């Protein structure tokens, strides 16, 4: 007997493909995949090896979350073109899911890093850190922009990038170094949004790669000007040139109940003198 014509019991065929025999019984009942032979006397189902490729196609489509109805429609009109179309749709969906999972991973990693920072931070310390280039989506604001309006603008902007939740992105505020030098500590000009996946778009703000002066402020926003004065004084004493924008971002919103415990991380691009850099 040709090996491919050899009949297998439902249990043997199920084991061959790593599935439960109840799955094969269900596929038979709904007309999706029928046995090669059914014994008319005892109702036993038998399959052959020729059917393996068909079943594996069904199992592949089920693994890709193709609905039973879609598979039934495909099985009724099987062709290379119909399978290619069906797989193309699922590959596109899979690519979107992978992109989302990568974004979720980056968001979780950022939160984890924030928690590690919280556990070992010294709120009084001003330090120099190294940062990679980052592309930020920005929204223009002014002194007159209310907090409620800022939240609305952030939500609106994140929706443009098909983020599923507001917390899928990191966001904060920007104030120019020129404003800080002039003592205009409330002259915030932009909200920034760090999208957790690569994006290509005109008009993105480039947060430069390099060294940054970093400090932390705990409490409500009224005390931030004092922290900036400390940072400016530190920069002057150490011949550190600050430039561009200061980037403020809250790092502990997930673990506090009161604004008094709110911690803002402040990063300002910095040109570090050689002598200072040797001590880092």
């Amino acid at each position: 007997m040709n090996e491919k014509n050899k009949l297998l019991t439902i249990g043997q065929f199920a084991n061959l493909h790593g599935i439960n025999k109840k799955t094969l019984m269900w596929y038979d009942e709904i007309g999706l995949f029928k046995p090669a032979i059914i014994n008319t006397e005892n109702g036993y189902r038998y399959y052959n090896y020729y059917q393996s490729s068909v079943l594996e196609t069904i199992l592949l489509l089920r693994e890709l979350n193709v609905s039973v109805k879609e598979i039934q429609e495909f099985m009724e009109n099987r062709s290379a073109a119909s399978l290619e179309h069906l797989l193309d749709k699922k590959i596109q969906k899979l690519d979107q899911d992978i992109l989302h999972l990568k974004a979720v991973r980056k968001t979780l990693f950022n939160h984890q890093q924030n928690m590690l920072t919280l556990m070992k931070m010294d709120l009084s310390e001003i330090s120099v850190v190294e940062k990679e280039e980052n592309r930020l989506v920005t929204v223009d604001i002014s002194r007159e922009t209310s907090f409620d309006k800022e939240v609305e603008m952030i939500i609106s902007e994140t929706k443009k990038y098909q983020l599923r939740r507001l917390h899928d992105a990191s966001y904060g505020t920007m104030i120019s170094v020129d404003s800080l030098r002039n003592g205009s500590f409330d002259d915030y000009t932009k909200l920034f949004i760090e999208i957790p996946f690569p994006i290509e778009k005109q008009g993105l703000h480039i947060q430069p790669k390099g060294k940054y002066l970093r400090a932390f402020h705990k409490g409500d926003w009224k005390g931030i000007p004092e922290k900036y004065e400390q940072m400016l004084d530190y920069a002057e004493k150490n011949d550190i040139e600050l430039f561009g924008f200061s980037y403020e971002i809250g790092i502990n919103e997930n673990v506090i109940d009161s604004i008094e415990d709110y911690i803002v991380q402040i990063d300002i691009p910095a040109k570090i003198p050689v002598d200072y850099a040797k001590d880092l």
Side-chain angles (χ1 to χ4, degrees), residues 7-19:
L7 294 178
L8 304 174
T9 66
I10 189 171
Q12 291 172 325
F13 197 68
N15 287 335
L16 179 65
H17 293 277
I19 60 175

Side-chain angles (χ1 to χ4, degrees), residues 27-243:
Y27 285 171
D28 181 18
E29 290 171 5
I30 64 176
L32 179 60
F33 183 76
K34 291 189 167 294
I37 294 174
I38 297 180
N39 188 309
T40 55
E41 295 181 1
N42 54 29
Y44 289 175
R45 299 170 171 87
Y46 294 93
Y47 300 80
N48 61 42
Y49 289 106
Y50 280 110
Q51 295 178 283
S52 288
S53 61
V54 176
L55 178 59
E56 284 298 323
T57 300
I58 293 173
L59 296 177
L60 168 65
L61 295 176
R62 290 297 293 145
E63 191 171 338
L64 291 171
N65 290 322
V66 179
S67 68
V68 170
K69 181 180 179 181
E70 286 179 291
I71 297 175
Q72 286 175 319
E73 291 173 353
F74 163 71
M75 295 299 291
E76 291 171 2
N77 300 281
R78 274 196 298 163
S79 69
S82 60
L83 181 57
E84 189 281 330
H85 177 69
L86 186 57
L87 293 177
D88 182 62
K89 282 172 52 180
K90 294 306 170 182
I91 289 171
Q92 290 183 40
K93 177 63 168 58
L94 188 60
D95 286 342
Q96 292 175 356
D97 291 342
I98 290 172
L99 190 65
H100 174 66
L101 288 174
K102 286 182 177 179
V104 169
R105 187 189 186 283
K106 183 174 181 181
T107 300
L108 292 176
F109 179 78
N110 288 341
H111 285 311
Q112 181 189 39
Q113 292 304 112
N114 287 342
M115 296 306 103
L116 290 172
T117 299
L118 285 171
M119 290 188 290
K120 62 183 182 181
M121 73 190 315
D122 179 354
L123 287 172
S124 65
E125 182 183 14
I126 296 176
S127 61
V128 173
V129 299
E130 191 81 26
K131 298 186 67 156
E132 293 297 318
E133 179 182 287
N134 205 0
R135 293 172 176 246
L136 305 175
V137 177
T138 59
V139 178
D140 292 334
I141 58 173
S142 68
R143 288 186 177 91
E144 288 70 39
T145 307
S146 67
F147 180 75
D148 291 348
K149 181 62 176 178
E150 289 180 2
V151 173
E152 290 177 8
M153 294 166 75
I154 287 287
I155 292 174
S156 175
E157 200 66 25
T158 53
K159 284 182 178 179
K160 293 179 184 179
Y161 295 90
Q162 300 179 336
L163 296 173
R164 304 184 187 189
R165 296 287 186 273
L166 183 60
H167 59 247
D168 283 346
S170 299
Y171 51 94
T173 51
M174 294 166 55
I175 183 171
S176 74
V177 170
D178 288 341
S179 292
L180 298 178
R181 289 198 188 100
N182 294 330
S184 301
F185 298 114
D186 61 346
D187 191 21
Y188 292 91
T189 56
K190 295 179 185 295
L191 300 174
F192 72 82
I193 308 163
E194 183 180 345
I195 305 297
F197 47 78
I199 54 175
E200 294 295 335
K201 177 187 173 184
Q202 294 293 325
L204 292 177
H205 173 83
I206 306 300
Q207 185 181 18
K209 175 182 179 179
K211 291 181 170 54
Y212 283 70
L213 198 63
R214 171 174 290 178
F216 298 94
H217 168 71
K218 183 177 181 180
D220 65 30
W221 291 275
K222 294 178 182 178
I224 288 182
E226 182 180 350
K227 181 61 67 174
Y228 274 126
E229 288 175 346
Q230 294 172 10
M231 295 179 76
L232 291 170
D233 184 57
Y234 181 92
E236 183 178 357
K237 288 180 179 179
N238 291 280
D239 293 323
I240 295 173
E241 181 184 347
L242 304 178
F243 64 95

Side-chain angles (χ1 to χ4, degrees), residues 257-273:
D257 297 316
S258 170
I259 189 63
E260 284 74 22
D261 296 319
Y262 188 71
I263 295 176
V264 175
Q265 177 179 294
I266 303 171
D267 289 337
I268 309 176
K271 294 179 182 178
I272 308 298

